[in-house]
Amino acid sequence: MENRSKLYGVVQGQEKISFVLDGFECVFFHTDPAPNTFTLLPHRQGFIVGRTAAQRYVYIYAHQDLKIWHELTLHTWGYIVSSSPDIQAYQILCFKGGILNKLFYQSSVKFEYTDADETKVQYRDDTLSYPFTGKKWKGRISVYSSPLERMSAEKGESIQTGGTCLEISFDGEKELQTFPEVFGYLLNLCQFMAFRRNVSFAEVAFLRPDDRFPEMTVSLADCHIHYEHTLNTEKPIHSCLTFNTLGQSVCGLLVSIMENTPKKPRFNIGFLPEDDKTVTYITGMKIREICSALESEMELANIQVQQEEAFDALVNRLKAVVTESRDGDHPLPDPKVYDYLFGTLRHLSGALSDRMEKCFLDCQPLLGEALSRRQIDELVKYRNTITHGSFMPLDPNLAETAYVLIKLVYCCVLKRIGMTDSTIRELFRWRLIS
């Protein structure tokens, strides 16, 4: 949710420091026009807490303590508004509308037409809910739509679905400082499902159980997020990967996102198009991201190709030479050089091309695409050349190969999280990567 109304108040615990929050620009200023020293604004789990005259508490994301003399301007990623002055943790997050309306077929309202020209309305629960379990995160993810009644002076009363909601509830409370991280997980999930970066949610909120009705929830806080883009994707729902199609596999996808780390990559979407206009725009950086994603997926799928013994022996000899230099009495002054050399030996073009070819042939019946070994070799050669700092022109043939390999990455991910071959084949037929 983006809120363009201004918020005014004072910093909690620092009554001489006032703030004006306009959109996502916050100006802090000292009421004394000439203070003798700076004032430290300590953060609470990454947030500076302010209080408005209406006794609303604003948690402004700063990620660090702030030092202010007379005035300080902060451009923030987001802020939280609540009636509670001391939010330390949360357990339930609710995301509403926006991209979710393109990722879920809503069916909470069903219309039936009778012979007597009467319309009957049937309400039903269309919730999809699944528990997920990871090494670090456990909980439940649920997605649903709710009926909405509207009154119009022109059309009278109307009933329709009120948009899609996604709730993620954890088995235990999570510290407030983890909110940006968890928000990023859900945003990445929806970006992958839409094959777009320019996605957003209409509303994001913290929920808590109702004191009177524990089985129900009420809002604890509203979260306002600053998205990098201005226009959201207009990609139609039938070309997206929906929660209805994902089913239980959404848990495997979410856990992969949550457990992704640089040292153990499990989810790479650096190649996604920024918006609808740049879907077929391929750059050298995207090709590097595509290859990295494929290497990760092939590692997770344990795709191996038996090399000739002479080739393996030569690579091992080269590794031994590099190791001897690194551990010897006169190593090179820059240790990063050894990381570079070992990385090169791990990703020799022949070995990588062989594995890519095998991976593609395994998935080719699902993709409906043709790709030759020569095309793969040329793309890997291009990737290695630009990675090592040299220039090489990017021609249309390389771009077409890269686009096919994006489909291969998606295919590998979908197979890994448990989707059936028939479902994957149908998704590509409906132009998921478009």
Side-chain angles (χ1 to χ4, degrees):
M1 177 192 297
E2 291 203 14
N3 185 0
R4 297 307 304 175
S5 62
K6 293 183 180 180
L7 294 170
Y8 306 84
V10 297
V11 175
Q12 188 79 338
Q14 299 284 351
E15 303 301 320
K16 291 185 178 181
I17 306 297
S18 299
F19 73 90
V20 178
L21 182 60
D22 184 6
F24 296 92
E25 179 181 277
C26 186
V27 179
F28 298 94
F29 56 92
H30 204 296
T31 55
D32 184 349
N36 296 324
T37 184
F38 69 83
T39 301
L40 182 68
L41 305 183
H43 72 88
R44 299 184 191 175
Q45 299 190 43
F47 295 84
I48 305 296
V49 184
R51 185 183 74 252
T52 70
Q55 297 301 304
R56 301 289 288 174
Y57 296 88
V58 187
Y59 296 73
I60 306 163
Y61 186 71
H63 190 59
Q64 60 185 348
D65 295 340
L66 300 180
K67 289 182 179 180
I68 174 175
W69 288 81
H70 175 59
E71 185 177 301
L72 175 69
T73 299
L74 172 70
H75 294 274
T76 183
W77 163 82
Y79 60 92
I80 300 167
V81 180
S82 175
S83 59
S84 174
D86 191 30
I87 297 178
Q88 298 291 328
Y90 63 93
Q91 191 166 353
I92 305 173
L93 286 178
C94 181
F95 302 79
K96 295 182 180 180
I99 186 59
L100 294 174
N101 293 333
K102 296 179 180 291
L103 303 180
F104 181 67
Y105 286 101
Q106 304 171 24
S107 58
S108 58
V109 176
K110 180 181 179 182
F111 295 96
E112 295 181 356
Y113 301 94
T114 66
D115 296 335
D117 292 332
E118 295 179 349
T119 304
K120 294 183 178 180
V121 180
Q122 178 183 352
Y123 301 97
R124 58 186 179 184
D125 184 1
D126 61 0
T127 302
L128 300 177
S129 185
Y130 310 100
F132 64 88
T133 301
K135 297 178 181 178
K136 180 180 176 182
W137 309 86
K138 295 181 181 179
R140 176 172 290 273
I141 182 170
S142 304
V143 60
Y144 59 90
S145 66
S146 55
L148 176 67
E149 296 187 14
R150 290 182 175 178
M151 290 295 295
S152 169
E154 178 182 354
K155 298 181 180 180
E157 186 177 10
S158 64
I159 300 174
Q160 60 188 38
T161 52
T164 301
C165 299
L166 184 152
E167 287 186 13
I168 180 165
S169 55
F170 295 97
D171 285 358
E173 289 190 334
K174 298 296 179 184
E175 292 184 333
L176 181 63
Q177 63 191 1
T178 64
F179 167 66
E181 181 182 5
V182 175
F183 174 84
Y185 295 151
L186 272 298
L187 187 69
N188 286 168
L189 175 73
C190 294
Q191 288 174 329
F192 179 83
M193 294 172 67
F195 188 60
R196 293 291 190 277
R197 286 193 179 279
N198 61 328
V199 304
S200 64
F201 307 104
E203 298 179 33
V204 183
F206 292 171
L207 303 182
R208 62 171 177 80
D210 191 307
D211 295 334
R212 297 169 299 174
F213 307 100
E215 68 279 2
M216 301 180 66
T217 58
V218 294
S219 178
L220 173 63
D222 294 324
C223 307
H224 302 264
I225 309 299
H226 179 57
Y227 298 94
E228 296 180 355
H229 59 275
T230 55
L231 296 176
N232 292 324
T233 178
E234 295 182 359
K235 189 177 182 182
I237 187 172
H238 63 261
S239 294
C240 294
L241 173 59
T242 65
F243 288 98
N244 312 78
T245 301
L246 265 178
Q248 181 70 45
S249 297
V250 69
C251 300
L253 182 58
L254 182 59
V255 169
S256 288
I257 296 171
M258 288 182 163
E259 295 184 353
N260 183 54
T261 63
K263 291 185 177 180
K264 293 185 178 180
R266 296 174 57 85
F267 187 75
N268 185 334
I269 56 172
F271 53 81
L272 289 188
E274 293 294 333
D275 50 43
D276 298 343
K277 295 181 179 179
T278 59
V279 173
T280 57
Y281 184 54
I282 299 295
T283 64
M285 180 59 69
K286 277 194 177 182
I287 288 179
R288 291 176 61 179
E289 294 286 354
I290 293 165
C291 290
S292 296
L294 266 178
E295 287 180 294
S296 172
E297 291 300 323
M298 291 188 296
E299 187 74 22
L300 292 168
N302 195 29
I303 293 178
Q304 301 292 336
V305 177
Q306 184 63 42
Q307 298 286 347
E308 294 182 5
E309 292 185 4
F311 180 88
D312 289 337
L314 178 58
V315 171
N316 289 333
R317 286 169 56 192
L318 292 172
K319 288 181 179 178
V321 171
V322 176
T323 301
E324 182 180 356
S325 172
R326 182 194 63 187
D327 300 339
D329 296 332
H330 304 286
L332 296 173
D334 186 359
K336 292 182 180 179
V337 172
Y338 294 105
D339 294 335
Y340 165 74
L341 292 172
F342 281 120
T344 301
L345 292 172
R346 282 197 302 270
H347 304 303
L348 287 175
S349 60
L352 179 56
S353 295
D354 287 341
R355 295 173 70 203
M356 277 191 180
E357 182 183 36
K358 185 177 188 305
C359 183
F360 176 78
L361 292 176
D362 289 345
C363 295
Q364 197 275 336
L366 306 180
L367 300 174
E369 298 280 359
L371 207 60
S372 68
R373 172 56 185 265
R374 179 184 175 186
Q375 289 174 291
I376 295 174
D377 285 341
E378 289 177 347
L379 184 127
V380 171
K381 178 182 177 181
Y382 175 86
R383 179 270 186 110
N384 289 343
T385 299
I386 64 172
T387 299
H388 297 162
S390 300
F391 172 77
M392 185 175 179
L394 176 58
D395 60 45
N397 292 328
L398 285 171
E400 290 178 8
T401 302
Y403 201 71
V404 173
L405 292 181
I406 289 176
K407 294 184 178 181
L408 180 57
V409 173
Y410 261 74
C411 187
C412 290
V413 173
L414 297 177
K415 286 174 69 71
R416 174 163 60 87
I417 64 176
M419 299 195 70
T420 65
D421 287 355
S422 60
T423 301
I424 296 173
R425 188 182 296 109
E426 192 67 20
L427 283 170
F428 287 120
R429 188 174 298 149
W430 282 99
R431 302 184 66 195
L432 171 61
I433 310 302
S434 67

